[in-house]
Amino acid sequence: MKWALVGASTIADQWMVNAIRAAGDDIVAIVSGDLTRAQSFATKHAIPHALDNETALDHLGIEAVYISNTNEKHEASVCRAAAAKQHVLCEKPLAVALDAARRMATACDDAGVTMATNHHLRHNAAHRAMRAQVQGGALGQISSARLSHSVYLPKHIQGWRLTERGAGGGVVLDIAVHNADSLAFIFGDYPSQVCAMTSNTGMATGLEDNAMSIWQFPSGMTAFTHQGFNTPFAQTHVQIHGDKGSLHGEGILTQAAGGTLSLSTAAGTDAVALDNDNLYERVIKNLHLAIQDQAHANADGWGGVRSLCVAHAILESAATGRTVDVRYD
Ligand code: NDP
């Protein structure tokens, strides 16, 4: 498949160029708002066309577009790609505003193109194993989950995330969407209510750099989630507790494959074997399946919308001090 990249971003540079090529596809063009940046990205990655205008993509035989510009720009890029009948892999959060995210998913549906949201964590081997254990009944009746996704934002991306809500900054829009998608993947459902507090610990300017929230699912299960930009020494983890067993995943909310998973039951605690492979490459391979109308494991456009609904409910709860119903309509 012939791809164009929209956004000369860090994630495109560090992960997605390799992932697309490893899945057997070609990258034909890179589009940036700055032609010099596009040219330098194209040179570094041996991409034939460097452009500063997405409309030029209409004449290059592009079949799929990876969109990783800042979040307020995603809508225009997705809608242009859909109109040009190009499949879409869009970064999370899909947009800053919910209405924009809904318009993006609708545009792809109406154009008959496949849309995926780059919620890569569901492709982590531990997440896949947790889903299989939970849905296979190994934990019995599940009462609770705890997810700690507090990291230290690396210096080289300490820009718009810490200063610009309009670009999708703040830890809730940036990280809570991943947490919503991960729990939805494992449990097959999204929370119906959330209650949250956020804080600014001095890393961000005018935005939250730390957030904790409690979610209630339609099943009655509760989940605790921690999102942070400000914890240099924290490890990520996911725990799931049922009346027959508990799962403990450590180091499994990261970009790189890896981490560990153990299952504790009345018989003791055993490590769960994990077949680790590159998460982003799996996203591309699953996009191929989706385009062929085959079963796939990606978050689609509407999955990206739903994870953004959860993030907005967290922000509303933190702002009002109330428990908030998550509205998905
Ligand atoms: P970056 O800040 O690296 O890039 C975002 C945009 O900023 C680029 O598209 C580019 O604009 C512009 N830019 C990049 N470098 C420079 C520079 N030196 N000077 C001026 N402008 C520059 O963002 P990230 O790669 O961190 O994130 C991009 C998207 O990917 C976001 O939606 C983010 O949420 C998402 N993301 C997803 C992850 C995942 O695992 N799914 C992980 C990390 C990020 P232009 O388009 O004009 O080239």
Side-chain angles (χ1 to χ4, degrees), residues 89 116-129 131 181-182 185-186 252 254-258 275-287 289 296-300:
L89 171 60
T117 307
N118 201 9
H119 280 311
H120 66 298
L121 290 170
R122 55 170 56 213
H123 292 289
N124 177 289
H127 291 234
R128 291 183 276 121
R131 174 183 161 101
D181 186 72
S182 288
F185 177 69
I186 294 166
I252 62 169
T254 54
Q255 291 187 281
D275 60 330
N276 286 311
D277 51 12
N278 185 290
L279 281 56
Y280 298 108
E281 197 179 320
R282 288 182 66 91
V283 171
I284 305 297
K285 288 178 175 167
N286 275 272
L287 183 71
L289 295 174
H296 68 90
N298 276 344
D300 62 10

Side-chain angles (χ1 to χ4, degrees), residues 186-304:
I186 294 166
F187 296 107
D189 211 350
Y190 290 84
S192 46
Q193 288 190 308
V194 304
C195 178
M197 286 190 190
T198 62
S199 61
N200 177 317
T201 65
M203 195 171 174
T205 304
L207 293 172
E208 79 290 344
D209 52 28
N210 175 63
M212 292 190 174
S213 57
I214 299 171
W215 304 358
Q216 182 143 57
F217 284 73
S219 66
M221 181 189 87
T222 52
F224 165 80
T225 78
H226 178 197
Q227 295 75 209
F229 282 153
N230 57 348
T231 51
F233 307 107
Q235 297 287 330
T236 64
H237 68 247
V238 179
Q239 302 172 358
I240 303 169
H241 304 292
D243 60 1
K244 293 201 173 71
S246 288
L247 283 164
H248 294 82
E250 302 285 337
I252 62 169
L253 296 166
T254 54
Q255 291 187 281
T260 60
L261 182 65
S262 64
L263 173 63
S264 300
T265 64
T269 296
D270 292 307
V272 177
L274 300 175
D275 60 330
N276 286 311
D277 51 12
N278 185 290
L279 281 56
Y280 298 108
E281 197 179 320
R282 288 182 66 91
V283 171
I284 305 297
K285 288 178 175 167
N286 275 272
L287 183 71
H288 293 169
L289 295 174
I291 290 169
Q292 292 156 15
D293 279 333
Q294 295 184 42
H296 68 90
N298 276 344
D300 62 10
W302 291 104

Side-chain angles (χ1 to χ4, degrees), residues 6-13 15-16 30-34 37-38 66-71 73-74 90-94 117-121 156-157 159-161 167-168 173-174 177-178 254-255 280:
V6 175
S9 65
T10 307
I11 184 171
D13 175 45
W15 292 97
M16 297 310 295
I30 169 79
V31 185
S32 167
D34 179 317
R37 201 161 56 242
Y66 168 60
I67 293 162
S68 67
N69 43 17
T70 47
N71 304 305
K73 296 179 181 160
H74 291 174
C90 184
E91 271 307 341
K92 50 48 63 177
L94 280 189
T117 307
N118 201 9
H119 280 311
H120 66 298
L121 290 170
H156 65 280
I157 54 169
W160 54 267
R161 280 180 179 80
L173 289 178
D174 196 52
V177 290
H178 275 314
T254 54
Q255 291 187 281
Y280 298 108

